[in-house]
Amino acid sequence: MVILSLEEDNDALLARSLFNTSSLSRISAHLDMRTRTVTAIALVAALLGAAPWCIYSASENRLLVGMTLVRNAPAIGAFCLDGSLPAYHLHRGFGAGADNWLLQFEGGGWCNDIPSCLERAETRRGSTRYMNKLEVFSGILSNNASLNPDFYNWNRVKLRYCDGASFAGDAKFDNGTSLLYFRGQKIWRAIILDLMPKGLGRARKALLSGCSAGGLASFLHCDNFAEYLPQNASVKCLSDAGFFLDERDISLNHTMRSFYDDLVSLQGVEKNLDKNCTSSLFYPTLCFFPQYTLKYINTPFFILNSAYDVYQFHHILVPPSADVHGHWNRCKLNPAACTDSQLEILQGFRNDMLATLRMFYQYSGRGGLFINSCFAHCQSELQETWLAVDSPKVNNKAISEAVGDWYYSRRISKEIDCPYPCDETCHNLIPVSGNDPANTKYFGSVMFGIGLASIYLFP
C-alpha cells in the first residue's frame, strides 16, 4: 500500500519558476523543435553536473539551490532506502541573519510494507540518485525580503526526504535478493552533524520546519533539534500540514491508524518516538500521530494546517478503500460539488481537528496556530500561499505574518478561520490528487529543461 503526498511536485515547481510563454515564443522564433529540445537537454545536463550553485529565474526571480550530499553519512549507517547518500540544499544567510538557521524537512508520504518501499526506492522519494539536483527555494525559504520578511536572510536548508518514515526509522531489510535501509533517524543525525561545523552549532536563532510528512517530522524531532544547539539560542519548531489526525474514515475504519502501525513496525520507528508519550499509551505506535505527542514537546511550536487538509480529506477521511464506488470523486475535486451530507461530514472533520487542538489553543503560552479553511496541503513553501497579494488570510493576517509574529514574540498568534465556504482568500488546490504522478513529472521535467535553456540562450 502506498500513500502519496499531495504537495506540489518539485518538477512542476521548477517548471513554474523557470518557464513562461514569452521565453518559449523567443525560442520558437530562433530554433526548430528538434534543435530546441537537443539544446535544452544538453544545457541542463551540463549545468546539473556542476558543483552546488544557485541561479535566479528571469521571469519570477525565484531561487534554485544545488544539492549537497552527506559524504560522511555511511560512518553512522545513514542511507536512503536504496543505499544512496542522504542530501540537503543549503543557501547561506547574510547580514543580520548570518547566525540564524531555518531547516525545512521535505515531505512526500510514506511506505509501510516491503513492496511499496521497494517501489519507492526506485524513485526520488527513496533515492538521491533520482532527485533533481536543484531545488526551488520559495515561500518560507525565499531570500527576497519583500516575499519572506522575517527569514529571508537566514541560513535556509531543505532536508531531502528519502526514507519513507518522516526521518524516524532505524532498521534494515535484507532477504538476500532485496535490500532496503530504513534509516531516517540516522539521516536526520547525519545532516545535523554535517551542518554543525558550517555554523548551525553557533546558531543564535533557529527554526525547524517541515511540510506534510516533513511537517510530521517536525513534531518527532523538535526537542532533539533544540538539544543540538547552544542553550542561549532561540529555538522553535513549525509544522505545515503535518497534524495528521487519528480519525475514523467514512466507513468507520481506522485506515490511517492501521497504516501507521504497519509503518512503525516495519521501519523500526517506535524506539525513536517520545518516551513520555509511548509509556503513557496502551498502543505506543499512536505516538506517531502528532495529537498524542504534542503535549510532551517542550520547545515552542507553531501548527499551520488547513481544517480541510486535502491529503487528510482524500486519504484519512475518504480513502479509496472507503469509497469503492467513487461517490466522493466530484466532491474531492471541487468542494462546491459536495452534497449537503458530504459537507456535513467535512464540517465534522474540521470540528474534530479543532477539538483535538483545543488544549493547545487555550493553554500553550508559547505556541502558535494558523488553521484556515482552504482545501490545500502545504502552504509555507509556495509563495502564492505564504505571502502574496492574494495569499490566504485569517483575521486579515497572512500565514507569513502569523508565523513571524509568533517566532519573534511580537504578539499572540493563534488564528482559527471560520468554516468553509466563508473564506474568500483561499487557494483551493485540490485537483492535484487527480493527476497522474508520472505525467506530472514528465511535463515538469520538459518545462524545466526548456525554461532553463531559455534563460541562457535568450537572456
Side-chain angles (χ1 to χ4, degrees):
M1 177 182 180
V2 181
I3 293 185
L4 298 175
S5 77
L6 296 178
E7 70 266 17
E8 185 166 2
D9 188 276
N10 186 53
D11 293 315
L13 273 173
L14 289 171
R16 288 173 53 194
S17 69
L18 288 171
F19 173 74
N20 60 39
T21 304
S22 60
S23 63
L24 180 58
S25 298
R26 291 197 303 270
I27 294 174
S28 299
H30 291 80
L31 300 172
D32 60 25
M33 177 61 76
R34 181 180 179 185
T35 304
R36 180 167 72 250
T37 304
V38 171
T39 303
I41 293 173
L43 183 56
V44 172
L47 291 173
L48 295 187
W53 57 290
C54 59
I55 65 173
Y56 293 87
S57 159
S59 60
E60 296 183 37
N61 202 35
R62 287 190 175 179
L63 176 67
L64 291 173
V65 180
M67 176 186 285
T68 299
L69 293 173
V70 185
R71 300 293 181 183
N72 293 329
I76 62 171
F79 301 98
C80 297
L81 282 172
D82 71 331
S84 58
L85 293 175
Y88 60 86
H89 301 251
L90 165 63
H91 192 254
R92 286 289 187 177
F94 56 92
D99 293 324
N100 302 335
W101 287 76
L102 190 157
L103 274 62
Q104 174 86 349
F105 284 116
E106 182 181 27
W110 311 269
C111 62
N112 72 331
D113 56 29
I114 295 302
S116 65
C117 290
L118 284 171
E119 180 180 353
R120 187 182 180 96
E122 296 181 353
T123 73
R124 64 186 180 90
R125 296 303 188 194
S127 172
T128 50
R129 296 187 179 102
Y130 300 106
M131 291 180 181
N132 291 319
K133 302 307 183 286
L134 298 173
E135 186 74 359
V136 175
F137 272 32
S138 64
I140 196 172
L141 297 175
S142 172
N143 68 334
N144 186 319
S146 64
L147 301 177
N148 186 28
D150 288 309
F151 307 107
Y152 74 97
N153 59 354
W154 287 30
N155 297 283
R156 299 165 328 283
V157 188
K158 186 70 170 283
L159 282 65
R160 298 310 296 267
Y161 182 34
C162 64
D163 63 276
S166 290
F167 295 82
D170 189 6
K172 185 172 75 170
F173 171 80
D174 186 356
N175 65 358
T177 303
S178 300
L179 175 63
L180 287 169
Y181 293 93
F182 303 123
R183 299 289 175 78
Q185 184 75 19
K186 291 182 177 180
I187 290 173
W188 157 247
R189 183 165 179 261
I191 293 177
I192 291 294
L193 294 178
D194 202 62
L195 291 172
M196 291 291 277
K198 296 182 179 182
L200 179 61
R202 303 184 301 275
R204 297 174 56 194
K205 293 182 174 64
L207 177 63
L208 180 66
S209 65
C211 154
S212 190
L216 176 56
S218 294
F219 285 101
L220 300 178
H221 295 294
C222 183
D223 282 344
N224 181 240
F225 179 59
E227 292 173 0
Y228 280 104
L229 302 184
Q231 289 187 347
N232 62 348
S234 173
V235 184
K236 301 186 179 184
C237 303
L238 161 70
S239 170
D240 176 8
F243 195 76
F244 298 98
L245 285 182
D246 179 23
E247 185 89 347
R248 292 182 185 270
D249 62 33
I250 57 172
S251 61
L252 301 183
N253 292 317
H254 278 292
T255 298
M256 201 64 182
R257 182 187 291 189
S258 176
F259 181 90
Y260 276 170
D261 188 60
D262 291 342
L263 181 153
V264 169
S265 176
L266 174 69
Q267 297 215 29
V269 173
E270 184 175 333
K271 58 179 171 288
N272 296 320
L273 297 175
D274 186 281
K275 299 299 186 294
N276 292 318
C277 181
T278 55
S279 63
S280 69
L281 296 178
F282 185 77
Y283 297 107
T285 58
L286 289 178
C287 293
F288 200 69
F289 283 99
Q291 67 196 73
Y292 299 110
T293 195
L294 177 59
K295 65 181 179 181
Y296 300 105
I297 297 175
N298 296 314
T299 307
F301 210 101
F302 191 100
I303 298 173
L304 164 62
N305 229 94
S306 166
Y308 310 96
D309 182 275
V310 173
Y311 182 92
Q312 299 198 52
F313 174 17
H314 292 190
H315 296 284
I316 296 180
L317 182 62
V318 192
S321 60
D323 185 34
V324 293
H325 299 295
H327 296 307
W328 282 76
N329 287 351
R330 293 179 68 246
C331 178
K332 282 184 173 182
L333 291 174
N334 179 11
C338 298
T339 66
D340 289 343
S341 61
Q342 289 171 337
L343 283 176
E344 185 177 353
I345 291 172
L346 284 168
Q347 302 298 12
F349 184 83
R350 172 184 180 271
N351 292 338
D352 288 348
M353 178 175 288
L354 296 183
T356 303
L357 289 168
R358 184 173 294 120
M359 295 293 288
F360 181 80
Y361 176 80
Q362 293 180 343
Y363 299 109
S364 175
R366 299 186 300 166
L369 201 62
F370 192 99
I371 306 296
N372 61 8
S373 295
C374 306
F375 285 79
H377 183 70
C378 289
Q379 301 177 85
S380 63
E381 295 178 337
L382 292 177
Q383 197 61 56
E384 294 88 340
T385 46
W386 174 248
L387 180 60
V389 174
D390 61 344
S391 59
K393 293 179 174 63
V394 177
N395 297 326
N396 203 34
K397 183 181 290 188
I399 295 170
S400 62
E401 183 182 358
V403 173
D405 283 349
W406 161 78
Y407 186 89
Y408 286 98
S409 301
R410 292 191 289 248
R411 57 185 64 87
I412 295 174
S413 189
K414 292 181 178 178
E415 312 295 340
I416 297 180
D417 208 353
C418 50
Y420 172 84
C422 72
D423 190 340
E424 297 180 355
T425 71
C426 284
H427 291 249
N428 294 325
L429 305 176
I430 62 172
V432 173
S433 65
N435 290 344
D436 179 345
N439 291 340
T440 300
K441 183 173 183 180
Y442 173 76
F443 175 81
S445 299
V446 172
M447 293 300 103
F448 168 59
I450 296 175
L452 186 57
S454 73
I455 293 172
Y456 287 90
L457 292 173
F458 305 100

